[in-house]
């Protein structure tokens, strides 16, 4: 892959964050690249349908059902709504605060002649306050909340992508278990035929008791593979049911394992495709939020200037005419001595920013590793599957020859037994390798953030 185009500002040392920063000794700050990733719609699914590339409608339906009903996705969506409310609250801090009150009073008044009388009055008023935010404390806090909202949306997308990949891998594993069960049943039928022949030869005196006992043992060894495969299938179906948010039950099947056709991988995939990974975008926005929180914490050390005002009228039965009242004032609040509280909070924010920077770099490097692992898995398991297919064909031919020689009396049962064991091992290994190859494709799709089209 062409790695020079992506994330070098993220994964390589020597970059600095915007603005003046005092980094801890030995730390390396990083800067997010411009136009890093276009956020996905907050109320829509991931705009990638890579699971359709395998050509199995049952697989497609399973993944889409998991994306619609998975509980982890719903929990992540709830966190997004919480972050959205927090971001709205931070934006509200930038606006003037208005309030009103209409107090009612009752009492008595005394005239100059000493005659008391009852008086009823009211004083409606409107008050307003506004923080001028001279040093950007509230504005930076609002930007930090916005970055946290984007990070939570990316976290939700990460869960969606992982859910789709888990559903696809689980379905592939299920089809592999189905094929293992089919192989075990076919082998069991062949062993039953061999056991029948061995019993007949033993009863007629053409073979020893040893061959008959060997045939019995091999039949039982193969028979236990059937319930083991059925148990694994049941557990895999239950796991997929949980993933799709439903009660345990049967999972619909589509095409067999050997007919799943992932698309070919283009040579020279651009590393820019890694920009689609939501976990990288999440790490970036977490870094941005930590950086803005540090700015806000530093601004908290500076004076705060607030304007306040109120206006109202006084209404009373004791007054001939209403009386208007108003007030206007300003206040400056500056920390003088707080025992080092603000300084400690600023140091904690700096440490969180440095942690987010290192986490950002680690996420980028992990992305490269996952892509390389998936590409190597696709390539090497493909080569392994080719050789195992050749081995399976050779073992099948050897079993045919050994069976013919055994029935004709030219060889002992041990040759046929060895050929049966070799064929069973080769067939199961081929199924496992094909499964690994298909799951490597799924891992590659996930590592590339949802495909490369």
């Amino acid at each position: 892959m062409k790695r020079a185009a992506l994330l070098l500002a993220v994964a390589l040392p020597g970059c600095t964050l915007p603005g003046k920063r005092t980094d801890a000794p030995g730390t390396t700050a990083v800067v997010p690249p411009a136009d890093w990733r276009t956020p996905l719609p907050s109320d829509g699914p991931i705009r990638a349908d890579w699971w359709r590339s395998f050509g199995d409608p049952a697989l497609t339906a399973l993944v889409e059902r998991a994306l619609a009903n998975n509980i982890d996705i719903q929990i992540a969506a709830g966190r997004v709504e919480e972050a959205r409310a927090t971001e709205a609250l931070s934006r509200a801090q930038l606006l003037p605060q208005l309030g009103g009150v209409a107090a009612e009073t009752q009492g008595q008044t005394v005239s100059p002649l000493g005659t008391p009388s009852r008086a009823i009055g009211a004083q409606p008023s409107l008050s307003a306050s506004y923080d001028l935010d001279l040093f950007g404390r509230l504005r930076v806090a609002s930007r930090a909340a916005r970055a946290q909202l984007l990070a939570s949306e990316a976290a939700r997308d990460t869960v969606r992508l992982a859910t789709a990949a888990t559903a696809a891998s689980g379905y592939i594993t299920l089809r592999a278990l189905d094929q293992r069960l089919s192989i075990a049943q076919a082998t069991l039928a062949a062993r039953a035929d061999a056991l029948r022949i061995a019993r007949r030869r033993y009863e007629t005196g053409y073979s020893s008791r040893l061959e008959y006992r060997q045939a019995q043992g091999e039949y039982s060894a193969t028979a236990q593979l059937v319930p083991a495969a059925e148990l694994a299938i049941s557990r895999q179906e239950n796991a997929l049911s949980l993933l799709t948010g439903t009660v345990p039950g049967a999972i619909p099947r589509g095409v067999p394992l050997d007919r799943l056709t992932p698309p070919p991988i283009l040579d020279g995939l651009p590393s820019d495709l890694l920009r689609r990974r939501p976990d990288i975008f999440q790490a970036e926005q977490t870094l941005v939020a930590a950086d803005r929180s540090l700015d806000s914490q530093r601004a908290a050390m500076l004076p705060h200037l607030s304007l306040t005002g109120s206006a109202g009228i006084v209404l009373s039965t004791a007054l001939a005419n209403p009386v208007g009242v108003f007030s206007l004032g300003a206040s400056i609040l500056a920390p003088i001595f707080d025992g080092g509280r603000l300084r400690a909070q600023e140091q904690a924010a700096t440490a969180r920013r440095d942690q987010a920077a290192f986490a950002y770099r680690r996420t980028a490097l992990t992305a490269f590793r996952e892509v390389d692992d998936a590409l190597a898995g696709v390539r090497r398991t493909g080569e392994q599957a080719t050789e195992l297919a050749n081995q399976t064909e050779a073992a099948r031919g050897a079993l045919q020859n050994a069976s013919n020689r055994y029935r004709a009396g030219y060889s002992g049962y041990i040759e046929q037994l060895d050929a049966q064991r070799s064929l069973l091992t080769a067939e199961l290994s081929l199924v496992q390798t094909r499964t690994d190859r298909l799951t490597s494709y799924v891992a590659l799709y996930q590592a590339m953030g949802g495909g490369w089209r």
Side-chain angles (χ1 to χ4, degrees):
M1 296 178 62
K2 301 177 181 177
R3 299 186 174 181
L6 173 68
L7 288 181
L8 297 185
V10 181
L12 300 181
C15 303
T16 57
L17 287 167
K20 297 181 179 179
R21 293 288 180 270
T22 303
D23 295 317
T27 62
T28 302
V30 297
V31 56
D35 300 329
W36 177 244
R37 174 178 178 270
T38 301
L40 296 173
S42 59
D43 56 349
I46 291 179
R47 292 190 173 179
D49 55 353
W50 51 267
W51 46 85
R52 297 179 181 271
S53 302
F54 290 91
D56 190 344
L59 171 60
T60 299
L62 178 67
V63 173
E64 292 178 350
R65 188 164 67 251
L67 291 176
N69 302 324
N70 184 260
I71 298 177
D72 292 333
I73 295 178
Q74 296 173 356
I75 294 175
R79 295 194 183 102
V80 171
E81 294 302 321
E82 179 183 359
R84 183 173 290 112
T86 303
E87 192 261 345
L89 178 61
S90 65
R91 283 189 285 107
Q93 301 294 326
L94 300 173
L95 303 176
Q97 306 297 314
L98 301 178
V101 64
E104 179 184 0
T105 59
Q106 296 184 8
Q108 290 184 342
T109 62
V110 180
S111 66
L113 298 178
T115 304
S117 62
R118 184 176 181 82
I120 300 176
Q123 186 176 345
S125 62
L126 181 67
S127 61
S129 63
Y130 180 61
D131 192 332
L132 294 182
D133 195 25
L134 295 178
F135 301 100
R137 175 179 56 89
L138 297 179
R139 292 191 298 272
V140 174
S142 178
R143 296 192 189 103
R146 176 62 181 174
Q148 286 289 3
L149 172 59
L150 295 178
S152 63
E153 290 179 347
R156 178 207 55 201
D157 293 343
T158 301
V159 175
R160 284 176 171 168
L161 183 58
T163 300
T166 303
S169 299
Y171 179 83
I172 292 171
T173 301
L174 180 61
R175 297 304 285 144
L177 291 173
D178 290 338
Q179 192 162 351
R180 291 176 67 92
L181 176 60
S182 177
I183 291 173
Q185 291 173 339
T187 305
L188 183 63
R191 296 285 169 85
D193 184 63
L195 177 61
R196 179 181 56 81
I197 296 176
R199 180 187 297 112
R200 186 176 60 194
R201 289 171 62 91
Y202 166 68
E203 292 175 350
T204 57
Y206 285 100
S207 64
S208 65
R209 185 181 181 88
L210 175 62
E211 291 185 357
Y212 176 56
R213 291 300 186 187
Q214 287 176 331
Q216 284 182 322
E218 288 302 313
Y219 177 84
S220 298
T222 306
Q224 62 87 24
L225 295 178
V226 174
E230 291 174 342
L231 174 61
I233 290 173
S234 178
R235 289 176 174 174
Q236 188 65 22
E237 287 181 326
N238 293 341
L240 290 175
S241 298
L242 177 62
L243 188 67
T244 57
T246 59
V247 296
I251 300 298
R253 267 68 157 185
V255 301
L257 180 70
D258 52 1
R259 289 179 55 192
L260 292 175
T261 55
I265 302 174
L266 302 178
D267 294 332
L269 288 175
S271 55
D272 288 352
L273 289 173
L274 291 185
R275 295 186 176 184
R276 299 181 57 181
R277 287 179 60 117
D279 59 337
I280 293 182
F281 183 68
Q282 177 187 358
E284 174 207 353
Q285 292 303 318
T286 301
L287 173 58
V288 171
D291 194 44
R292 297 296 179 262
S293 297
L294 176 58
D295 289 338
S296 178
Q297 195 59 52
R298 288 174 175 173
M301 300 180 181
L302 303 175
H304 301 169
L305 176 60
S306 300
L307 299 178
T308 59
S310 64
I313 58 175
V314 178
L315 304 173
S316 176
T317 57
L319 299 176
N321 297 309
V323 177
V325 293
F326 71 92
S327 65
L328 181 64
S331 62
I332 298 179
L333 178 62
I336 298 177
F337 177 77
D338 61 358
R341 178 176 59 86
L342 292 177
R343 178 61 63 182
Q345 290 176 351
E346 186 267 343
Q347 292 174 351
T350 301
R352 286 192 294 268
R353 191 282 313 271
D354 293 337
Q355 294 173 36
F358 282 117
Y360 188 28
R361 180 186 180 191
R362 181 187 60 190
T363 302
L365 294 176
T366 301
F368 282 122
R369 176 196 170 182
E370 290 177 351
V371 171
D372 271 351
D373 288 347
L375 285 172
V378 169
R379 184 181 305 111
R380 301 310 177 191
T381 54
E383 297 172 355
Q384 185 180 5
T386 301
E387 297 301 327
L388 281 173
N390 296 334
Q391 179 186 358
T392 301
E393 289 300 321
R396 187 173 289 111
L399 175 60
Q400 183 66 35
N401 293 335
S403 299
N404 293 337
R405 287 172 56 85
Y406 173 68
R407 292 176 181 178
Y410 289 105
S411 64
Y413 179 69
I414 191 64
E415 290 187 7
Q416 181 182 5
L417 184 60
D418 288 340
Q420 287 177 339
R421 291 172 178 173
S422 298
L423 177 59
L424 178 60
T425 301
E427 288 179 334
L428 294 179
S429 298
L430 179 59
V431 170
Q432 185 60 49
T433 303
R434 286 174 174 172
T435 304
D436 294 340
R437 182 168 182 264
L438 291 172
T439 53
S440 295
Y441 272 101
V442 174
L444 180 60
Y445 279 121
Q446 184 177 7
M448 299 301 291
W452 52 81
R453 287 191 300 172

